Amino acid sequence: MTNSQKWVTVVLAAFIFLFILSDILKEDTIIRHDEMPGYDTQEYNEERVQDPPGLTLIKQNGCLACHGQDLRGNPNLGPSLYNAKKHWNRDELINYLRNPGDYSRDPRFDEYKNQFRNIMMPSYENLDVKDLGIIADYLLGLQGE
Ligand code: HEC
């Protein structure tokens, strides 16, 4: 081999090596969700299959953090959502979820302001209105007190 042929070989080998290396590293950085600790495929799938779409959206959007895992309220963070059907129709509820601030002067909310000091119901204006409708239908369909 001439000197320049040797160089070409070395450069090619280096490229192939780097290509393989980057491929290996790429594989490594992908964390597969089913390999995460605590992930149980069966349990996860069953839970998703059983939730009605409204509840899935409610879980995805963090409502349970303030309104309780069973939507029956959290003493410090948010009221029970089982009352919603007494106070809202579908359109009003969608409006409320988009702009909760617009309704804060309702005397009914004075009690909430007292109980949930410094906690504000966030606006969900960024959600698709269709999804808000599905959430509203779910909340208005909750049975019980
Ligand atoms: C950061 C905590 C927090 C989160 C997250 C949150 N809320 Fe609220 N929510 C509140 C508080 C506090 C109130 C009481 C009104 C107020 O103080 O603004 C409230 C009030 C409400 C009401 C009115 C209740 C009534 O009696 O009329 C509805 C309905 C509601 N939330 C639905 C939702 C839904 C649906 C989600 C998720 C998409 C959600 N909230 C997420 C804190 C929260």
Side-chain angles (χ1 to χ4, degrees):
M1 273 205 264
T2 67
N3 240 354
S4 66
Q5 279 173 328
K6 276 184 201 157
W7 274 113
V8 170
T9 316
V10 167
V11 169
L12 264 180
F15 261 112
I16 293 168
F17 175 74
L18 283 176
F19 181 75
I20 294 171
L21 191 71
S22 71
D23 218 47
I24 293 169
L25 290 178
K26 200 164 61 196
E27 286 276 302
D28 254 354
T29 48
I30 294 174
I31 300 167
R32 294 184 41 171
H33 64 290
D34 53 355
E35 283 170 355
M36 304 260 280
Y39 181 94
D40 178 331
T41 320
Q42 209 183 350
E43 201 178 290
Y44 183 85
N45 289 339
E46 275 171 13
E47 194 187 319
R48 283 294 170 272
V49 168
Q50 283 168 6
D51 280 347
L55 185 54
T56 302
L57 285 165
I58 283 172
K59 286 185 178 179
Q60 281 169 355
N61 288 291
C63 318
L64 301 188
C66 294
H67 291 286
Q69 290 302 315
D70 54 1
L71 292 178
R72 288 188 183 276
N74 176 308
N76 305 311
L77 300 176
S80 167
L81 295 185
Y82 276 74
N83 301 325
K85 57 182 181 291
K86 279 186 238 157
H87 302 289
W88 307 100
N89 67 33
R90 189 175 190 273
D91 284 347
E92 287 167 347
L93 185 49
I94 292 172
N95 257 326
Y96 175 74
L97 295 175
R98 289 169 64 90
N99 298 302
D102 290 358
Y103 297 80
S104 62
R105 258 167 284 142
D106 183 328
R108 183 167 67 87
F109 279 70
D110 288 348
E111 209 180 302
Y112 288 158
K113 273 185 223 150
N114 245 322
Q115 188 179 350
F116 310 110
R117 270 173 206 284
N118 307 320
I119 311 286
M120 283 211 351
M121 166 69 190
S123 156
Y124 286 90
E125 218 173 6
N126 57 326
L127 280 195
D128 197 303
V129 180
K130 231 169 55 194
D131 287 345
L132 291 173
I134 295 171
I135 292 177
D137 286 337
Y138 182 80
L139 293 179
L140 296 173
L142 286 174
Q143 299 294 320
E145 286 298 308

